[in-house]
Amino acid sequence: MTVPAPRPGGEQFSHSGAKQYAQIWTSAVAQSGFLPMSSAETEQLLFGHTLDLAQAFLARPFTARPAYHVGRALVDAHLAGSKVIDWSVRALGEQFFAAILPGRRQTRTVRQRISSLQGQLAAGFAQALRDRTFVQQERISRSAWAARDMAEQALRESEARFRAVFAGAATGIGIADINGRIVDVNQHFAEMLGYSIPELRQINVAELFHEDDAAGMWELYTDLVQGRHDTARVEKRYYRKDGSIIWTNVSVSLIRHDDGRPRWTLAMVEDITDRHDLQERLRFQALHDPLTGLPNRTRFFEQLDAVFAAAKPDDRIGVCVLDLDGFKRVNGGLGHDIGDQVLTVVAQRLSDYVAGRGHLVGRVGGDKFVILIERSSGTQEVVAMAQASLGVVAQPIRLDDHQLTVTASIGVVEGPVAETAPVDLIKAADTTLYWAKAEGRGRYTVYDPLRDEREKAKTDLVAALPAALERGEFTVDYQPIVALADGTVQAVEALVRWEHPELGLLGPDRFIGLAEETGLIVRLGRWVLHRACEDASNWRRQFPDRRIVVSVNLAARQAQEPGIAAEVSDALKRAGLPAELLQLELTESAVMTTAGEPLLALHQLAELGVRLAVDDFGTGYSNLAYLRRLPIHSLKLAGPFVEGLRSDEPTSRVDEQIVDALVRLAHALGLSVTAEAVERAEQAERLRALGCDTGQGRYFSEPVNAAGIVAMLATREAGVIGDRLEL
Ligand code: C2E
Ligand code: MG
Ligand code: MG
């Protein structure tokens, strides 16, 4: 017997609950009839199994395998009646859970574990039974050979001896001639089939074959009577006289004339109907979800594999993966009973609609269903199925004291069978389901291979980011920010790049967003900040009079880090850079938190003495009145405003007025203004005329590396960019 080992940190189950469960289990087994052991011994045994199941249930990582062994052990202990296994599988659900973890709620994981345990228990039981049947068959067939030898002997010798062999046999025995006409049967055989012996003597064996077996049986029979084989063993159905069916194990052997010509066939027949029914029932249980009765995951994949195996070259296939929206809230808010009822109703509706049209619908997860469209005629058919399914799910659900409505999201995949494999098909459907959820739920989305590829590429990029940072694959370029009045370089903006070993040089637009989503921006941004401060410190040493400011972009996520001010101060100290030579660029959304409050760290940063700029100004929704009270030093006018200044079209008048107003407003608030994306002389000129302070863009210089900035500061003696800078 297994004793529960204390599992460090793991959850414990109730030992007394397990004891009680074993007691109930024992009495259920006892009620099913025959007990091969004493009641106390049985209870002892079942208690051991209960402990094994409870441990398996809580084990991390979870595996349902121990339940398989319990199933086998039950058969080995001769607790193999169909009622025993029925009870054992059913009770392993609610009853078992309530016993070992009293008062605990059933989560989705719990249910999944329970049904895996149930499935494995049934599977172990069924396998052990199959093994046992096999052993029995071996025994029977051995005795059949003995009987055959005797019968052969008897037939040759005398009718009287033959009868004696026949009559006493505990197996059904029948003899037919090579045309299938029944010559004789024993009482056991006749009873099995519900005929009298004389009636059977009038019958051809073929009349007893079940039509589904008939073809194969004939072949076998022909092989035998033509002397190609001497023996055959099959599991087959027979019709009884009343039309009902029995399942049998049949061993047929050939009896020859003395000269070797086939003479008779001798069949030994054993009735295995009960065992067969039980196995069918177990198979059903192993392949169906106990709550809704729908095919389960195993059954679904079995069918999917079968479809792929049997597919013709042009066959198409469709799959809808359906998941209820916000089902957790139903379970959490209304309780698991209601949750179960909702699932049952949804399953019933899907089954009526989908299965009613000849397609398979299965439950493959807590609130996840799948529809299989074999030999689909095209995407349209599968989409129609998805739409209809959304419709039936969304009908109001009336329960005893509740009426509620749930919606579902569906991922749809359809295509030629030849171009995919079962796992890929399901993976694609799951991905698409995720898109449908992300796009707002209550809808279906159709799989798009290009989108999948793009997203995979994105994921790969995210995954490669941390190692790339370690390996030093990032670099920083600097773009000059120039005084519009005299063309002198006032500052440079640090812009990060990724020298990707396979994809080449990647601009920040390819990876900054991802780095923000994953939080890696904090490490990446820290690296850029240090690099930029060091480069700026070098320029300061080489050009002490120039006081070039380095402007570093600060992502929202970075700015919200609690230690950001200390971080910036540390970077300045390490590089030996005075604070006033560092500017931090924050977007409007980063300056204001989502709650509409200004960023907490803003004042701390300003107190360090660094400059603060609002990046891409005009693309967000800044509260201008607020800006007044914040320690901001400058605004960077977003590219689109500047773009409007390049032509003489009427719209450019409007843009000019906007820029004019913005510059005036900024100046009134004591802020300087930098125009971004200045690409042409005429834009630079108009910006200057409007009183804009500085400009940045291709017109002055593309971003260049740190050495490029040194070259620029050195060759242009005063660092003046009089006209377009050529490098
Ligand atoms: P941003 O801060 O607005 O940077 C200006 C962008 O405009 C840069 O793109 C720059 O190359 C580009 N640009 C320069 N001249 C012109 C021009 O004449 N016309 C136009 N249309 N664009 C011009 P880049 O380098 O691709 O950077 C894109 C964005 O990536 C930046 O926009 C910034 O938001 C972000 N970024 C770059 N480096 C970093 C970084 O180190 N940290 C963070 N958090 N974000 C960064
Ligand atoms: Mg910027
Ligand atoms: Mg910008």
Side-chain angles (χ1 to χ4, degrees):
M1 189 181 87
T2 320
V3 175
R7 295 165 336 104
E11 196 174 352
Q12 290 293 336
F13 56 84
S14 156
H15 213 261
S16 61
K19 188 92 199 152
Q20 275 166 18
Y21 183 80
Q23 279 160 4
I24 303 172
W25 198 355
T26 307
S27 58
V29 167
Q31 274 165 27
S32 77
F34 164 74
L35 267 192
M37 293 169 281
S38 76
S39 173
E41 282 165 340
T42 310
E43 188 180 320
Q44 179 85 338
L45 178 87
L46 295 179
F47 181 48
H49 292 331
T50 307
L51 296 178
D52 285 349
L53 291 169
Q55 283 186 332
F57 177 76
L58 291 173
R60 279 191 216 121
F62 173 74
T63 156
R65 204 60 189 165
Y68 179 88
H69 296 300
V70 170
R72 291 204 69 116
L74 289 175
V75 176
D76 292 345
H78 302 286
L79 299 174
S82 61
K83 283 196 188 122
V84 173
I85 188 64
D86 265 355
W87 193 94
S88 307
V89 171
R90 227 173 337 101
L92 188 51
E94 305 272 329
Q95 210 165 331
F96 173 73
F97 178 75
I100 65 157
L101 291 172
R104 261 271 303 264
R105 269 183 358 101
Q106 281 201 19
T107 60
R108 185 196 280 210
T109 321
V110 164
R111 278 152 206 265
Q112 279 167 353
R113 287 189 174 198
I114 284 179
S115 58
S116 306
L117 287 173
Q118 287 175 316
Q120 284 294 323
L121 183 71
F125 196 85
Q127 185 57 44
L129 272 182
R130 266 196 297 276
D131 293 351
R132 200 177 75 170
T133 306
F134 182 71
V135 170
Q136 283 171 351
Q137 279 176 346
E138 285 297 301
R139 222 180 41 229
I140 288 168
S141 77
R142 269 202 304 279
S143 62
W145 302 148
R148 184 186 74 154
D149 290 346
M150 282 167 71
E152 231 174 297
Q153 193 65 20
L155 282 164
R156 286 205 192 90
E157 286 172 12
S158 82
E159 177 78 16
R161 300 262 306 266
F162 172 59
R163 294 249 145 260
V165 172
F166 235 37
T171 328
I173 304 178
I175 293 184
D177 67 15
I178 53 168
N179 298 314
R181 206 174 50 82
I182 293 176
V183 178
D184 209 349
V185 296
N186 68 355
Q187 189 57 33
H188 203 89
F189 189 103
E191 278 165 14
M192 222 184 276
L193 293 174
Y195 288 95
S196 68
I197 297 178
E199 276 172 331
L200 277 171
R201 287 206 189 114
Q202 307 297 315
I203 285 181
N204 192 295
V205 282
E207 291 169 46
L208 302 170
F209 295 166
H210 189 274
E211 68 249 20
D212 291 348
D213 299 335
M217 277 309 288
W218 258 126
E219 220 167 89
L220 213 132
Y221 203 72
T222 320
D223 274 2
L224 262 180
V225 296
Q226 292 181 353
R228 279 198 285 277
H229 298 302
D230 266 29
T231 59
R233 226 177 66 202
V234 281
E235 192 174 303
K236 71 178 292 292
R237 283 160 282 189
Y238 276 113
Y239 280 120
R240 289 168 53 93
K241 188 180 178 184
D242 62 9
S244 62
I245 287 166
I246 57 165
W247 275 95
T248 63
N249 252 323
V250 188
S251 305
V252 200
S253 43
L254 184 67
I255 295 173
R256 297 172 187 266
H257 285 285
D258 286 343
D259 61 6
R261 279 176 301 121
R263 191 176 182 193
W264 284 303
T265 55
L266 172 76
M268 323 281 295
V269 185
E270 188 203 2
D271 183 349
I272 55 159
T273 310
D274 283 350
R275 204 150 67 217
H276 191 274
D277 287 353
L278 173 62
Q279 281 185 8
E280 284 299 293
R281 212 146 10 99
L282 289 180
R283 190 178 138 72
F284 185 89
Q285 280 173 355
L287 295 178
H288 289 79
D289 159 42
L291 177 66
T292 62
L294 288 186
N296 65 12
R297 198 179 180 79
T298 314
R299 171 79 191 89
F300 171 75
F301 277 99
E302 202 179 87
Q303 183 66 15
L304 192 63
D305 287 340
V307 171
F308 271 78
K312 292 189 211 50
D314 298 339
D315 277 359
R316 300 177 71 86
I317 189 167
V319 162
C320 299
V321 176
L322 180 152
D323 190 282
L324 298 183
D325 298 327
F327 185 67
K328 261 200 206 101
R329 256 180 295 135
V330 175
N331 255 346
L334 301 172
H336 284 269
D337 282 347
I338 301 287
D340 281 355
Q341 290 179 48
V342 168
L343 286 172
T344 311
V345 170
V346 167
Q348 186 60 48
R349 288 178 185 175
L350 287 174
S351 176
D352 287 348
Y353 188 85
V354 179
R357 278 160 184 73
H359 305 296
L360 179 98
V361 55
R363 180 177 177 220
V364 291
D367 60 345
K368 196 166 177 188
F369 300 86
V370 65
I371 298 168
L372 178 65
I373 315 274
E374 299 174 26
R375 281 180 297 282
S376 118
S377 59
T379 310
Q380 232 176 358
E381 182 187 356
V382 186
V383 163
M385 181 57 73
Q387 279 170 325
S389 303
L390 289 179
V392 298
V393 171
Q395 296 294 315
I397 296 175
R398 278 180 203 89
L399 304 174
D400 292 344
D401 343 318
H402 295 273
Q403 162 152 344
L404 64 153
T405 308
V406 291
T407 61
S409 304
I410 300 186
V412 174
V413 187
E414 198 278 339
V417 178
E419 287 175 20
T420 180
V423 251
D424 298 330
L425 187 73
I426 296 309
K427 217 193 270 171
D430 277 337
T431 304
T432 317
L433 170 65
Y434 175 78
W435 295 341
K437 292 266 181 194
E439 280 154 20
R441 305 168 158 209
R443 69 190 61 209
Y444 71 89
T445 300
V446 179
Y447 180 66
D448 171 359
L450 291 179
R451 174 171 176 186
D452 197 14
E453 218 161 279
R454 268 199 314 275
E455 294 194 356
K456 279 198 192 108
K458 248 169 74 172
T459 325
D460 290 350
L461 216 52
V462 174
L465 249 158
L469 198 56
E470 299 283 311
R471 284 197 296 265
E473 288 174 10
F474 291 93
T475 58
V476 180
D477 279 354
Y478 298 94
Q479 186 171 39
I481 297 173
V482 167
L484 290 169
D486 60 10
T488 52
V489 177
Q490 303 285 306
V492 295
E493 177 173 6
L495 297 163
V496 67
R497 274 92 182 87
W498 182 355
E499 286 171 356
H500 195 284
E502 280 136 41
L503 304 174
L505 191 69
L506 301 180
D509 289 338
R510 289 283 295 279
F511 58 87
I512 288 289
L514 297 176
E516 289 213 44
E517 278 169 33
T518 55
L520 274 167
I521 191 69
V522 175
R523 277 173 61 199
L524 180 61
R526 183 182 305 146
W527 179 82
V528 173
L529 178 68
H530 282 264
R531 173 86 261 141
C533 288
E534 274 158 33
D535 285 337
S537 185
N538 283 338
W539 300 325
R540 178 165 169 265
R541 268 195 297 280
Q542 291 181 54
F543 308 97
D545 309 332
R546 297 299 314 275
R547 304 194 62 74
I548 298 295
V549 170
V550 70
S551 192
V552 176
N553 292 286
L554 207 63
R557 184 100 176 230
Q558 237 181 319
Q560 282 156 15
E561 283 285 293
I564 184 63
E567 178 101 37
V568 170
S569 157
D570 178 55
L572 290 169
K573 264 200 211 94
R574 279 172 188 243
L577 187 74
E580 69 271 16
L581 294 190
L582 175 66
Q583 169 168 279
L584 297 173
E585 299 188 11
L586 292 97
T587 58
E588 288 165 88
S589 50
V591 170
M592 307 298 276
T593 65
T594 39
E597 300 282 317
L599 186 76
L600 227 66
L602 228 47
H603 288 279
Q604 295 170 353
L605 289 169
E607 272 160 31
L608 291 178
V610 301
R611 293 171 56 88
L612 296 173
V614 179
D615 200 358
D616 302 334
F617 184 79
T619 55
Y621 300 94
S622 280
N623 184 338
L624 281 171
Y626 240 25
L627 277 185
R628 199 163 78 104
R629 283 187 265 134
L630 297 180
I632 302 285
H633 301 83
S634 80
L635 298 184
K636 295 189 75 175
L637 267 194
F641 294 110
V642 179
E643 198 181 345
L645 301 178
R646 51 194 276 179
S647 70
D648 285 330
E649 284 175 29
T651 49
S652 83
R653 282 290 307 154
V654 179
D655 284 321
E656 190 158 330
Q657 281 168 1
I658 293 173
V659 174
D660 184 30
L662 285 176
V663 170
R664 283 170 196 279
L665 193 73
H667 285 171
L669 293 170
L671 307 173
S672 70
V673 182
T674 303
E676 294 184 21
V678 181
E679 296 177 349
R680 297 176 178 211
E682 90 199 75
Q683 288 171 315
E685 183 45 42
R686 285 164 88 176
L687 285 162
R688 195 190 57 74
L690 290 171
C692 189
D693 306 284
T694 46
Q696 170 186 2
R698 268 172 228 144
Y699 171 67
F700 302 110
S701 168
E702 293 281 357
V704 298
N705 62 19
I709 295 296
V710 171
M712 197 181 296
L713 295 175
T715 51
R716 308 281 158 148
E717 209 178 310
V720 171
I721 301 186
D723 199 342
R724 238 194 127 138
L725 191 76
E726 274 132 31
L727 284 167

